[in-house]
């Protein structure tokens, strides 16, 4: 793509004078156009600020990088950050501080807070219930979402018992939610609920309206299809204050229904914006065959045309028929070599993490069943591997940090169950940033190679026992012995078997949203998820043209590919997928 000139439609996005929605296909250069608009609008505004919001730190970092030497646009009164950070800083913090006379402590997820898990009476061997399984109304009332209950929660009888006692579970979840809010511990989910509550409250509106109206002349929203109910409520409030709203996204890439982000809601909001919609339909990323594959999965009517260097690449989509997951990687590497790509150019994508891990040859251990020694050993493998994605690395570091923090807090007095990670660190006198560095150093330096489970466990305890804790109280030998016991043989064997790392990097589809790769290996497993309501699988949806999130997940995965798309399809579905591709005119070849 030309690095100097914008296309006509990209320039139209830059110059738009009214609130509007721009639909952008994959590889359409939307970030480039948004940054151009952001730089233009910040230069035009003398007093009020311009905000550019996205939903991931990676996307925000990319925007900041593209602003280059124009560092003043990243300073007050302007704002570049995630939607969560915007909610925290400009809505929840000022309102919470006013209402509770103290500052809130933000946590990313409820599972980072020990007391966010709970049990009902007579639950037997079932796992604890988690607040993440519930949606919360602005008034704090909980609603259990059955699809979020993990399959390993318990057997059919246990699940049936929970659903029969659904009201009791929801009342208990509402009670815990309220206690955590009162204690000042607020997750991203809770922050959105509080924001929605204060925006519809007369007193809250009276306080927030002049604050936001005087601060922001315009808000630009990247990946607008990811807006849920709360984000759309905030944008509506800003619009009512005279703030211009510029939304850029692709509703066919909406894959966060668990956060109430649905295409219909976003389209309805976009249809009520006064400006003329814009279509960015030139794909500067992918080959014609990949674009055709994308079109076969799209639910909307936005055209998608291959442009740029890869538009001249006539490589077809490759289908791998497999019976066992271990057949996928060797076949994919052969195809890549034939197309002058290496293992480093590929990424293996799946909807569920376990399917990608199996295909990549990684025999992980369920984190819910791992002991702390196994977690530390597994984290070391992940952090030393060249093939793990940032999400997996972040998860590995989190596991180690929480294991270490458990050692520092085990001898503390009761009353910390409502505290989040940062608050626990403050209580025991350790800097969270130092703890993160310590966790990485420990995981990387302790290698499992050639060691028994007992030897490795002893090394972990010795590392912790001899560490320099500064102002924090060092954990006792007895505490270390209780917390860091060697795992059983089967768990240890599973950990050690992953030490060499996979031949191809792997990730979930959600973990690579917004990224691109020379080659993508998309895995359709033998056991496809059956929707609880429709009783259909993603293959059924694709064949029938049903507009579902499962189908959009495949679309997001395929559209990450630049030069080569490989679909690894279990033998049960290969003929059906071929029929779909034939009917939609997708160039493909079967291996």
């Amino acid at each position: 793509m030309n690095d100097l000139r914008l296309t006509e439609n990209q320039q139209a996005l830059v110059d738009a004078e009214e609130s509007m929605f721009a639909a952008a296909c994959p590889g359409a250069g939307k970030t480039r156009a948004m940054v151009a608009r952001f730089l233009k609008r910040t230069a035009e505004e003398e007093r009020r600020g311009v905000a550019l919001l996205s939903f991931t730190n990676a996307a925000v970092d990319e925007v900041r990088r593209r602003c280059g030497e124009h560092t003043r646009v990243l300073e007050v009164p302007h704002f570049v950050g995630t939607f969560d950070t915007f909610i925290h800083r400009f809505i929840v913090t000022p309102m919470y501080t006013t209402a509770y006379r103290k500052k809130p402590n933000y946590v990313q997820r409820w599972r980072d807070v020990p007391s966010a898990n709970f049990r009902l009476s007579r639950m037997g061997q079932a796992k604890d219930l988690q607040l993440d399984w519930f949606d919360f109304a602005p008034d704090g009332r909980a609603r259990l979402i059955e699809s979020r209950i993990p399959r390993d929660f318990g057997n059919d009888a246990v699940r049936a018992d929970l659903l029969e006692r659904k009201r009791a579970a929801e009342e208990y979840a509402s009670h815990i939610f309220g206690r955590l809010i009162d204690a000042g511990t607020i997750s991203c989910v809770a922050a959105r609920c509080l924001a929605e509550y204060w925006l519809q409250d007369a007193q809250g509106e009276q306080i927030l309206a002049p604050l936001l109206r005087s601060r922001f002349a315009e808000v630009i929203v990247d990946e607008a299809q990811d807006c849920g109910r709360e984000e759309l409520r905030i944008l509506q409030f800003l619009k009512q204050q005279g703030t211009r709203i510029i939304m850029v996204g692709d509703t066919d890439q909406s894959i966060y229904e668990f956060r109430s982000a649905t295409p219909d809601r976003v389209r309805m909001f976009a249809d009520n914006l006064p400006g003329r919609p814009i279509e960015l339909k030139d794909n500067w990323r992918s080959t014609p065959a990949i674009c055709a594959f994308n079109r076969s999965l799209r639910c909307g009517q936005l055209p998608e045309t291959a442009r740029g260097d890869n538009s001249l690449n006539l490589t077809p989509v490759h289908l791998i028929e497999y019976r066992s997951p271990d057949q996928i990687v060797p076949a994919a590497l052969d195809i890549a070599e034939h197309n002058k790509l290496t293992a480093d150019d590929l990424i293996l994508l799946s909807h569920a993490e376990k399917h990608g891990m199996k295909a990549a040859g990684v025999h992980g251990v369920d984190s819910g069943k791992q002991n702390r020694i196994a977690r530390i050993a597994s984290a070391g493998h992940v952090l030393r591997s060249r093939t793990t994605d940032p999400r997996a690395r972040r998860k590995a570091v989190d596991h180690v940090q929480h294991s270490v923090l458990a050692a520092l807090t085990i001898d503390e007095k009761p009353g910390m169950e409502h505290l989040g990670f940062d608050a626990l660190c403050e209580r025991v006198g350790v800097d969270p940033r130092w703890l993160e560095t310590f966790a990485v150093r420990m995981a990387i330096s302790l290698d499992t190679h050639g060691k028994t489970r007992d030897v490795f466990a002893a090394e972990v305890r010795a590392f912790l026992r001899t560490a320099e804790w500064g102002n924090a109280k060092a954990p006792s030998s007895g505490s270390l012995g209780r917390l860091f016991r060697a795992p059983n043989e089967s768990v240890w064997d599973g950990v050690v078997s992953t030490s060499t790392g996979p031949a191809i990097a792997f990730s979930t589809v959600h973990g690579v949203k917004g990224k691109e790769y020379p080659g993508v290996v998309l895995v359709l497993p033998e056991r496809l998820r059956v929707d609880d309501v429709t009783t259909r699988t993603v293959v059924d949806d694709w064949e029938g043209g049903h507009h579902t999130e499962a189908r959009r997940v495949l679309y997001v995965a395929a559209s990450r590919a630049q030069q080569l798309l490989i679909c690894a399809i279990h033998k049960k579905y290969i003929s059906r997928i071929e029929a779909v591709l034939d009917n939609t005119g997708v160039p493909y070849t079967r291996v």
Side-chain angles (χ1 to χ4, degrees):
M1 185 177 179
N2 191 308
D3 288 333
L4 299 176
R5 294 177 55 191
L6 295 171
T7 66
E8 181 180 349
N9 284 344
Q10 288 172 340
Q11 191 64 52
L13 170 59
V14 174
D15 296 334
E17 296 183 354
E18 292 184 295
S19 295
M20 50 78 67
F21 181 86
C25 75
K30 66 178 179 62
T31 303
R32 184 165 169 265
M34 282 189 305
V35 170
R37 179 179 181 87
F38 182 65
L39 295 176
K40 176 178 182 288
R41 292 291 293 117
T42 51
E44 293 171 346
E45 290 295 335
E46 296 182 358
R47 296 185 179 181
R48 294 195 293 168
V50 177
L52 198 161
L53 310 180
S54 194
F55 286 85
T56 67
N57 288 319
V60 170
D61 291 342
E62 179 63 16
V63 168
R64 290 176 175 272
R65 185 188 69 80
R66 295 197 188 201
C67 287
E69 61 185 19
H70 303 283
T71 56
R72 66 167 188 81
V73 303
L74 304 177
E75 300 172 356
V76 175
H78 311 300
F79 176 80
V80 175
T82 64
F83 222 122
D84 281 328
T85 304
F86 181 88
I87 292 171
H88 295 170
R89 184 175 301 179
F90 299 110
I91 299 178
V92 176
T93 294
M95 292 302 299
Y96 188 93
T97 303
T98 299
Y100 289 84
R101 303 299 179 185
K102 60 182 177 182
K103 290 185 178 181
N105 170 48
Y106 293 107
V107 297
Q108 186 68 26
R109 303 168 299 264
W110 281 130
R111 61 177 176 268
D112 295 333
V113 183
S115 63
N117 299 340
F118 64 95
R119 300 182 68 81
L120 300 177
S121 60
R122 307 185 309 279
M123 281 181 56
Q125 298 299 313
K127 289 186 174 182
D128 290 355
L129 279 66
Q130 301 178 23
L131 287 194
D132 290 330
W133 303 355
F134 298 82
D135 266 349
F136 292 90
D139 61 2
R141 286 180 299 170
R143 180 169 64 91
L144 178 63
I145 307 300
E146 295 179 25
S147 61
R148 296 183 193 171
I149 305 171
R151 296 186 183 278
D152 61 354
F153 169 67
N155 57 33
D156 291 344
V158 171
R159 295 176 69 90
D161 178 64
L162 172 59
L163 296 179
E164 286 182 6
R165 303 164 68 190
K166 182 178 179 180
R167 178 172 293 184
E170 290 172 341
E171 290 177 353
Y172 204 158
S174 299
H175 173 66
I176 294 176
F177 182 89
R179 289 175 61 185
L180 289 167
I181 298 300
D182 289 342
T185 298
I186 300 175
S187 70
C188 291
V189 169
R192 293 189 197 102
C193 289
L194 288 171
E196 189 175 17
Y197 171 78
W198 278 313
L199 288 176
Q200 67 186 26
D201 175 70
Q203 184 176 1
E205 180 179 358
Q206 187 177 8
I207 295 172
L208 288 171
L211 289 177
L212 294 173
R213 183 169 56 244
S214 62
R215 177 65 188 269
F216 293 109
E218 177 171 311
V219 172
I220 305 169
V221 183
D222 181 26
E223 303 288 359
Q225 72 277 355
D226 294 337
C227 288
R229 183 190 71 235
E230 298 93 343
E231 287 89 356
L232 292 175
R233 179 69 184 86
I234 292 167
L235 293 178
Q236 180 63 31
F237 185 83
L238 288 166
K239 180 171 171 284
Q240 291 169 350
Q241 309 315 312
T243 301
R244 183 182 297 161
I245 306 297
I246 302 295
M247 302 175 73
V248 186
D250 179 3
T251 52
D252 278 309
Q253 294 189 56
S254 177
I255 58 173
Y256 291 101
E257 284 188 357
F258 65 89
R259 285 199 305 130
S260 302
T262 59
D264 289 344
R265 281 179 174 164
V266 175
R267 278 191 287 262
M268 186 179 300
F269 184 90
D271 288 344
N272 287 315
L273 296 177
R276 179 180 64 85
I278 295 173
E279 289 185 347
L280 304 180
K281 56 189 178 182
D282 293 332
N283 186 326
W284 300 88
R285 172 187 299 161
S286 305
T287 67
I290 295 170
C291 287
F293 190 92
N294 293 346
R295 288 194 297 270
S296 78
L297 283 164
R298 290 192 72 94
C299 299
Q301 300 301 312
L302 180 67
E304 183 175 330
T305 305
R307 303 292 187 190
D309 294 340
N310 284 328
S311 66
L312 304 177
N313 184 338
L314 300 182
T315 303
V317 173
H318 286 67
L319 306 185
I320 295 174
E321 177 186 0
Y322 74 91
R323 291 169 174 76
S324 172
D326 59 11
Q327 297 174 316
I328 295 174
V329 168
L333 291 175
D334 285 345
I335 296 170
E337 183 179 5
H338 181 74
N339 287 275
K340 297 181 173 55
L341 296 179
T342 68
D344 290 340
D345 296 318
L346 302 181
I347 188 162
L348 193 152
L349 300 180
S350 60
H351 191 168
E353 185 177 48
K354 63 181 179 180
H355 298 138
M357 292 176 68
K358 286 182 180 179
V362 176
H363 305 288
V365 181
D366 185 343
S367 62
K369 298 177 181 178
Q370 273 188 7
N371 77 350
R372 293 182 177 87
I373 294 298
R375 286 183 175 180
I376 293 169
S378 296
H381 299 161
V382 169
L383 296 176
R384 284 189 292 269
S385 172
R386 61 176 176 78
T387 58
T388 50
D389 67 357
R391 179 175 173 272
R393 298 171 74 84
R394 179 70 262 169
K395 185 177 179 180
V397 174
D398 285 347
H399 279 326
V400 180
Q401 287 186 113
H402 282 85
S403 294
V404 175
L405 192 57
L408 295 174
T409 58
I410 189 172
D411 295 324
E412 289 290 318
K413 296 178 181 179
M416 299 195 300
E417 62 274 8
H418 298 312
L419 300 181
F421 180 81
D422 288 347
L424 283 172
C425 288
E426 182 179 357
R427 178 69 68 89
V428 299
V430 62
D431 187 321
R433 291 170 297 182
W434 178 90
L435 182 57
E436 179 180 33
T437 302
F438 177 86
V440 172
R441 187 172 73 249
M442 181 173 75
I444 290 178
S445 62
L446 297 176
D447 196 346
T448 62
H449 183 67
K451 295 171 184 172
T452 67
R453 57 194 177 99
D454 291 317
V455 169
F456 186 80
E459 289 186 354
V460 170
R461 292 192 293 268
F463 192 99
L464 293 170
R465 189 167 52 249
T466 59
E468 294 290 338
W469 295 109
N471 295 329
K473 180 182 177 182
S476 65
S477 295
S479 298
L480 294 177
R482 293 194 301 274
L483 289 174
F484 296 92
R485 295 172 177 168
N488 61 43
E489 286 288 357
S490 62
V491 169
W492 186 246
D493 288 343
V495 170
V496 173
S497 68
T498 67
S499 60
T500 58
I504 297 177
F506 68 93
S507 174
T508 62
V509 178
H510 288 79
V512 297
K513 198 160 180 293
K515 300 179 182 179
E516 59 186 23
Y517 303 89
V520 165
V521 183
L522 173 57
V523 177
L524 265 70
E526 176 181 6
R527 297 186 62 182
L528 295 174
R529 180 182 177 274
V530 177
D531 186 89
D532 294 333
V533 177
T534 68
T535 70
R536 297 191 305 261
T537 69
V538 68
V539 176
D540 300 325
D541 293 334
W542 198 358
E543 288 176 324
H546 302 290
H547 297 191
T548 62
E549 183 174 77
R551 183 176 167 187
R552 295 194 296 271
V553 168
L554 292 187
Y555 170 71
V556 170
S559 61
R560 302 307 95 199
Q562 297 169 302
Q563 303 172 42
L564 177 65
L565 174 61
I566 302 170
C567 294
I569 304 167
H570 191 268
K571 64 175 185 175
K572 289 170 59 176
Y573 309 109
I574 188 73
S575 61
R576 296 172 63 185
I577 298 301
E578 284 186 308
V580 171
L581 300 185
D582 287 333
N583 291 336
T584 52
V586 178
Y588 73 92
T589 184
R590 177 171 169 178
V591 179

